[in-house]
Amino acid sequence: MTTDRALLAEAVALRQNGQVDELVGLCRRYPDDARLHLQCAWAHDKLGLEREAVPFYKRALSLGLEDDDLRNALLGLGSTYRTLGEYDQAAETLARGVETFPDDRGMAVFHAMALYNHGEAKKACETLLTLLLETTADPAILGYREAIETYAADLDRVWE
């Protein structure tokens, strides 16, 4: 179902005003509207109600989202799982986000955080070092580009 512009505008306003109960009511009236469920998930997250946000993210994703909505739902759900200590789900959700949106550096950063929490500190650090090299203009860092690339590829390597 495609969200009517006026209905989506109403949902956005409710989210921005913290009117979660009213937004949940909209989701009940339009249970097959993915974008409304995404707005509801964000509203819960904004109020620190992460556990309550999860079902809305999952419903939005199951109904089908595209483009920025899909990107935002994957990042939001993955980040929410991470804050709840559900590291397996966080890493899996954010890995899907990175696979679907390989050029989204924000997604990659959140994925690296989830990898760290998941016990994959080496992969997380490698990801962050690579992102740093891709995005920085700092000559003090770029002067060591080759070394950082080498170390990022295998942080445990010892040269003797």
Side-chain angles (χ1 to χ4, degrees), residues 29-108:
R29 285 195 352 240
Y30 301 95
D32 295 327
D33 193 308
R35 295 175 81 195
L36 290 182
H37 282 79
L38 180 57
Q39 292 295 321
C40 203
W42 285 341
H44 283 86
D45 265 349
K46 180 180 177 184
L47 294 174
L49 303 170
E50 286 84 2
R51 185 130 344 254
E52 290 84 352
V54 170
F56 290 102
Y57 278 122
K58 290 171 72 172
R59 178 74 176 149
L61 287 165
S62 73
L63 290 169
L65 295 166
E66 296 178 356
D67 305 322
D68 284 341
D69 290 327
L70 177 58
R71 176 189 327 260
N72 290 326
L74 290 170
L75 195 145
L77 179 58
S79 177
T80 297
Y81 277 143
R82 195 186 74 75
T83 64
L84 293 171
E86 297 178 16
Y87 303 134
D88 289 342
Q89 294 92 328
E92 180 180 309
T93 302
L94 291 163
R96 177 179 166 202
V98 167
E99 182 179 311
T100 306
F101 301 100
D103 296 329
D104 186 325
R105 291 181 175 132
M107 186 79 70

Side-chain angles (χ1 to χ4, degrees), residues 110 113 136:
F110 277 85
M113 289 188 281
T136 191

